[in-house]
Amino acid sequence: MGLSDNAGGRTGLEPRWTPQIEIIESALESSLNDLPENAEAGLISAMRYAVGAGGKRLRPRLLLATVESLGLRSENALDAACAVELVHCASLVLDDLPAMDDASLRRGRRSVHLEFGEATAILVTHGLLAEAFRLIASNCRLMGLGGSETAEAVAFLATQVGVGGMVGGQAMDLSQDTVDAPETVLEEICRRKTASLICACVRIGGLLGRASDEILEALDLFAEKFGIAFQIRDDILDVLVTEEAAGKNVRQDQSNATLARRLGVDEARLLAESFERQALSALEGLKIDSGALKEHVLRHAD
Ligand code: IPE
Ligand code: IPE
Ligand code: MG
Ligand code: MG
Ligand code: MG
C-alpha cells in the first residue's frame, strides 16, 4: 500500500496545502524505501503503517516553509522534513500506547500497537527516531553544512525531543501532580510536549537556510508561540469534535487537565489567538520572506 492511501485525520485541512503534502508523502515513501533491505519485514511494515497513516504533515511543511523563507529551494530539505515527521509519528505511536493515552484510533485507523502488538509499536518508535537523526545529518551534508553546524542541528533536535522537551512534556502530562496544576503549568505542558518539536522544525529549517542568529532567535519565538497555540487548539477539538472527524479518540481521559477543559472552549480559544498573535509578531520586521510561515498560523486558526 502506498503511504498516502489513507487520508484519515485530515478532515477540514485546507486544500491550499495539498500539493505540498503530496511532495512530502512521496519523500516519506522514498525514505522508508531506503531502509536496509535485510531489516525485519514485520518491523518495516509497522513503521510504514505508523508513518503512512494520513496526518496533516504540519511539521515538515513548517520546516520547508522556513527554508523557503530564507530564499533556498525547499526540495533540498526534504530529508530533514521527513525526519521531523518521523519524530512526530514516533511520538504519536508512544502517545497511543496503553500505558500512555491508551488510544485505539489514530488518523482514522487502528493505532499501531493494536495492529502490530505493543512490542513492535515500541520498536517502531525507536526505529523512527534513529532514522530521523540519520536523515537530519545526511541532509545537512547534502546542503553543504560544516561539521559544527550539522552537530548543532542534530543536538538541537535531541534537546527538543528529550527530557526538557517533548518526552519531559509527555511525562508532565501523564503525571497525577498536574491534574490540579495552575494554568501556567498547563501552558508549560503544551510548550514542552508539542511546541518543542515545532521549534526543532523551524530551527533546523533555519540552520539549513543559513539564517543569522537574530533570525534564528525570532524563528524560535515564532515556533514556540505557534506550538503552544497548536496544542491548545488540539485540546479544544478534543472537547468539540467527534472521533470520526478527528480520526482519533476524543474525550477519553476526562481527568486529564487541559487548558480547554480548565478554561472552557471560548476562553481557551482567546488564549490560542493570543499565542498566535505573538507568533506572528515575532516575524515582524525580519528580513525574510515569512508569508508561508504566517499562513500556517492564520490558516490553522479557525
Ligand atoms: C497531534 O498532532 C498531536 C499533537 C501534538 C497535538 P497533529 O494534529 O499534527 O497530528 P497529525 O500529524 O495531523 O495526525
Ligand atoms: C500529544 O498530545 C502530544 C505529543 C507529543 C504526541 P495529545 O495526547 O493531545 O495528542 P492526540 O490528541 O492524542 O493526537
Ligand atoms: Mg497525550
Ligand atoms: Mg493522545
Ligand atoms: Mg489531543
Side-chain angles (χ1 to χ4, degrees):
M1 186 177 87
L3 286 186
S4 51
D5 291 355
N6 171 40
R10 282 199 199 131
T11 316
L13 186 66
E14 288 257 357
R16 155 79 174 87
W17 307 121
T18 310
Q20 213 186 7
I21 288 178
E22 281 169 6
I23 292 170
I24 293 165
E25 295 294 341
S26 90
L28 284 167
E29 179 89 51
S30 332
S31 71
L32 292 174
N33 285 340
D34 285 348
L35 290 170
E37 273 170 29
N38 61 355
E40 218 277 317
L43 180 61
I44 301 291
S45 305
M47 284 169 75
R48 291 179 68 83
Y49 183 94
V51 176
K56 297 179 287 295
R57 310 307 194 194
L58 169 76
R59 291 147 192 86
R61 282 192 276 126
L62 277 176
L63 188 149
L64 297 175
T66 308
V67 170
E68 272 178 11
S69 77
L70 294 159
L72 273 89
R73 292 164 62 87
S74 60
E75 299 93 279
N76 295 330
L78 280 169
D79 278 351
C82 289
V84 292
E85 182 64 18
L86 298 192
V87 173
H88 171 57
C89 294
S91 83
L92 297 180
V93 175
L94 276 176
D95 185 68
D96 290 341
L97 286 172
M100 303 272 286
D101 288 354
D102 193 14
S104 57
L105 191 67
R106 172 63 65 184
R107 292 170 168 175
R109 54 187 187 177
R110 266 152 61 90
S111 46
V112 174
H113 64 272
L114 289 181
E115 194 68 22
F116 295 92
E118 257 183 82
T120 300
I122 292 167
L123 291 171
V124 159
T125 67
H126 288 61
L128 292 175
L129 281 175
E131 184 57 15
F133 282 101
R134 195 191 67 74
L135 283 169
I136 293 288
S138 111
N139 205 150
C140 289
R141 211 170 24 243
L142 176 83
M143 288 185 76
L145 267 66
S148 68
E149 289 91 357
T150 301
E152 191 181 339
V154 171
F156 195 83
L157 182 60
T159 304
Q160 300 307 102
V161 171
V163 293
M166 187 177 80
V167 166
Q170 287 284 65
M172 281 175 84
D173 195 32
L174 292 174
S175 160
Q176 281 308 305
D177 299 345
T178 40
V179 170
D180 300 313
E183 279 163 42
T184 49
V185 173
L186 300 184
E187 209 175 283
E188 186 58 22
I189 294 175
C190 297
R191 184 191 323 277
R192 292 194 197 179
K193 77 172 184 173
T194 300
S196 299
L197 179 58
I198 291 185
C199 284
C201 302
V202 169
R203 170 67 80 101
I204 292 166
L207 291 170
L208 290 173
R210 315 289 212 273
S212 65
D213 287 349
E214 182 205 357
I215 291 176
L216 286 176
E217 210 176 294
L219 288 171
D220 283 350
L221 190 62
F222 160 79
E224 183 194 68
K225 303 298 180 190
F226 177 44
I228 296 172
F230 186 82
Q231 183 62 52
I232 296 173
R233 288 195 182 273
D234 177 78
D235 292 332
I236 293 173
L237 286 179
D238 186 78
V239 173
L240 292 181
V241 306
T242 61
E243 288 198 344
E244 203 183 8
K248 60 186 180 182
N249 302 112
V250 290
R251 297 180 282 285
Q252 209 169 23
D253 182 359
Q254 296 289 344
S255 67
N256 183 17
T258 67
L259 285 163
R261 285 179 183 161
R262 178 72 58 79
L263 302 173
V265 164
D266 292 343
E267 212 180 307
R269 204 177 264 145
L270 291 176
L271 187 63
E273 283 165 7
S274 139
F275 280 111
E276 282 153 3
R277 273 195 303 278
Q278 293 174 58
L280 294 173
S281 68
L283 299 176
E284 281 316 313
L286 275 193
K287 292 195 181 63
I288 62 171
D289 181 6
S290 57
L293 284 172
K294 287 183 181 154
E295 225 184 320
H296 276 90
V297 177
L298 294 168
R299 291 187 185 234
H300 183 66
D302 55 9

